[in-house]
Amino acid sequence: MSNPRVARLMEDLFQAINGLVEKHQVTHEEYRAAVAFVNEAAEKGETMLLFDAMLESDIVAANSVESRGTPRQVLGPYYLEDAPWIEDGQLAKPEEEGERLLLSGTVRDVDGSPISGAVLDFWQADAKGRYGAFDLPPRTNMNLRGRMHSGEDGRYALHTVVPAPYTIPHKGPTGRLLEALGRHPWRPAHLHLLATHDGYKPLITQIYFKGDQYIESDAVRAARNDLAFDLQDEGDHKRIDFEVVLEDAV
Ligand code: DHB
Ligand code: FE
């Protein structure tokens, strides 16, 4: 059964590739190297990383045109479903190392009305740039991953630690490709958020820190200055106010 959308996209995709082959007179050797590269990425479990790093930002941008909500960001390869529900917004355990951060604000619709009962699902690297489950085994390690609801007045408060910049895995094919392109593997420090509520479009975003040296050269080309915030000094902790704006579902 023919699917017109698939047919259209695949025709255009191969037209672009065929054009590129012609333009650069791609050799048979180069062709074989390309196939071997894709194969290696798959064998090393890097398919998701490779596509996320090279393409996901563009997918997000293409789908954010005319958005009135909080700017959207890539999901990235480190989201896990079923993160624990956290009590009192405590994402970081007392023994977690790093500078304390209070991230708080209000969840609103595009007209500014508060949205209570939104699910806020946060995940982040630790103060050494390590993700639970991926950099910190075992596979079930839910460190610095947690879900909460926005309150009556749409407000939320997350108690956590400031994450560190992070290199995407660069010892395999994805890293080799970045290097060949003259790109480094660093992502600026960031927190991830997936915010959902019935009747609204799910929002996937990230929060960055002003002054981070990698904002302008993010390995996955996702970071943007309008999502970079000052870490306000509150003595024993830092603070960021972050408003979450959800668009109506269509
Ligand atoms: C990617 C995204 C992340 O948030 C991250 O921490 C690592 C990699 C990515 O898009 O490849
Ligand atoms: Fe990340």
Side-chain angles (χ1 to χ4, degrees), residues 78 131 187 190 192 206:
Y78 301 134
Y131 278 94
R187 293 220 62 217
H190 57 278
H192 292 268
Q206 296 186 34

Side-chain angles (χ1 to χ4, degrees), residues 152-164:
E152 290 278 294
D153 45 5
R155 291 207 50 90
Y156 76 92
L158 180 79
H159 299 269
T160 186
V161 293
V162 179

Side-chain angles (χ1 to χ4, degrees), residues 11 13 16 18 35 63 74 86 89 120 123 176 184 208 210:
E11 274 164 26
L13 175 66
N18 295 345
V35 176
N63 287 280
V74 300
I86 50 179
L120 304 176
W123 70 106
R176 280 206 324 271
H184 64 66
Y208 302 91
K210 272 214 174 89

Side-chain angles (χ1 to χ4, degrees), residues 97-132:
E97 281 177 34
E99 190 157 31
R100 261 47 207 173
L101 168 63
L102 169 59
L103 177 79
S104 60
T106 306
V107 184
R108 298 183 190 279
D109 67 17
V110 293
D111 299 319
S113 304
I115 301 173
S116 66
V119 175
L120 304 176
D121 191 344
F122 291 98
W123 70 106
Q124 65 169 95
D126 68 11
K128 291 188 170 137
R130 301 172 303 188
Y131 278 94

Side-chain angles (χ1 to χ4, degrees), residues 139-150:
R139 235 11 229 196
T140 48
N141 184 336
M142 288 284 179
N143 202 44
L144 298 177
R145 301 171 181 277
R147 288 183 281 178
M148 66 169 80
H149 288 102
S150 59

Side-chain angles (χ1 to χ4, degrees), residues 10 38 100 103 124 218 237:
M10 289 297 129
V38 174
R100 261 47 207 173
L103 177 79
Q124 65 169 95
D218 184 356
H237 69 279

